[in-house]
Amino acid sequence: MTDSLPVGAADGPPGPHAGATGDPLDAADKTDLVDVWTLRIPDQAAAAAARAGILDAEETERAAGFQDPAARTRFVTSHVGLRVLLGARLGTAPQDIVLMRERCGMADCEKPHGRPAVAGRHGVHFSLSHSGDFALYALAASPVGADIDSVDVAGAGLERMARRLHPDETQALDTLPATARQEALLGCWVRKEAFLKGIGTGLPAGIGAHHVGLAEAVAPPWAPPVPAGWALFDVPAPVGHHAAVALRLQGPAGRSRLPTMRASRLLLE
């Protein structure tokens, strides 16, 4: 993970365009690159509140609807961070970005509740997740999904979810010592959520329908590969958390692809 730097700062998280920021990766190479940021919400809440005017009317209304001040702060801070990142990537004022939903990724559903997207801008894909005090962002040139979670937040739901995993994931968990099971299960869960967000279906596509596997650090050598055409990254996460990103590979046919993740911490000040 790189040093903590504001987005667009020299040597910090990449800005909108290769030519403008000195990014050494050209447009073709960026198809298999995902940029990831983590943000600690309490540290950035004041800076985000000062910039809350960049949120659109729907976001502002949603923020006002939270009865819990902490939940409102998490929403505002994470969404201000998203707009700052998208504005830097696109070279657009954050408040001018129009967010929308793509069509659902389920084959039999035409409703607009798929991946979030920037209206009229097909060259950037993004995903936002937050859990407790942390937000996770992923930006890429192809569809992407991100998820962060903690054992404290997931709680007992983890074991309920475990009963619905892909059979190979269940078998992999069963090979681990009991003391390692909960952390391994959470690592699998964030990979699962990231992938299902990436394909634009979310959980309705079925928790056990796709094998995403355990985190690489604990996955058995016999584990099947992840879904064809996708890369899964285990993201460095704060203590007590696990995080993952799923990236759809879009590199030119015949090119030997080594998908890459660049991870940073996001400052809004």
Side-chain angles (χ1 to χ4, degrees), residues 25-268:
L25 297 172
D26 62 22
D29 288 327
K30 283 184 178 180
T31 58
D32 288 341
L33 168 73
V34 57
D35 285 302
V36 178
W37 293 262
T38 53
L39 176 147
R40 189 173 187 277
I41 291 170
D43 293 346
Q44 304 301 314
R51 303 181 69 176
I54 68 175
L55 300 179
D56 66 18
E58 180 181 352
E59 290 167 317
T60 301
E61 182 178 357
R62 288 181 62 188
F66 285 102
Q67 300 301 310
D68 179 9
R72 186 183 309 115
T73 295
R74 287 193 292 270
F75 179 87
V76 169
T77 306
S78 60
H79 282 254
V80 166
L82 175 63
R83 285 185 169 271
V84 167
L85 288 171
L86 288 173
R89 178 61 56 94
L90 295 170
T92 302
Q95 63 270 22
D96 293 337
I97 291 170
V98 178
L99 300 177
M100 56 169 283
R101 285 277 181 177
E102 296 179 346
R103 191 181 71 183
C104 176
M106 301 281 284
D108 57 349
C109 182
E110 298 290 326
K111 295 180 180 179
H113 50 215
R115 289 183 297 262
V118 180
R121 303 297 292 266
H122 303 294
V124 61
H125 297 260
F126 67 90
S127 186
L128 163 64
S129 176
H130 54 80
S131 177
D133 285 343
F134 294 92
L136 177 72
Y137 307 88
L139 269 66
S142 58
V144 64
D147 193 62
I148 185 170
D149 213 335
S150 71
V151 172
D152 290 342
V153 173
L158 277 175
E159 284 299 333
R160 291 195 299 270
M161 181 275 295
R163 296 192 289 269
R164 302 161 59 194
L165 290 175
H166 188 281
D168 289 318
E169 293 164 348
T170 300
Q171 184 179 355
L173 282 169
D174 289 343
T175 66
L176 296 174
T179 54
R181 177 179 174 85
Q182 191 174 51
E183 289 290 334
L185 181 52
L186 183 59
C188 180
W189 176 245
V190 294
R191 288 166 68 93
K192 187 77 66 173
E193 285 252 44
F195 175 72
L196 293 174
K197 289 178 181 180
I199 64 175
T201 64
L203 297 181
I207 293 173
H210 305 275
H211 176 272
V212 300
L214 308 189
E216 289 187 7
V218 295
W222 51 259
V226 301
W230 286 83
L232 269 292
F233 299 93
D234 301 311
V235 179
V239 174
H241 292 71
H242 282 262
V245 166
L247 174 69
R248 193 171 78 187
L249 302 178
Q250 295 290 313
R255 180 162 70 87
S256 177
R257 299 201 296 270
L258 291 174
T260 303
M261 177 183 70
R262 298 190 297 199
S264 307
R265 286 176 291 175
L266 176 61
L267 302 181
L268 298 177

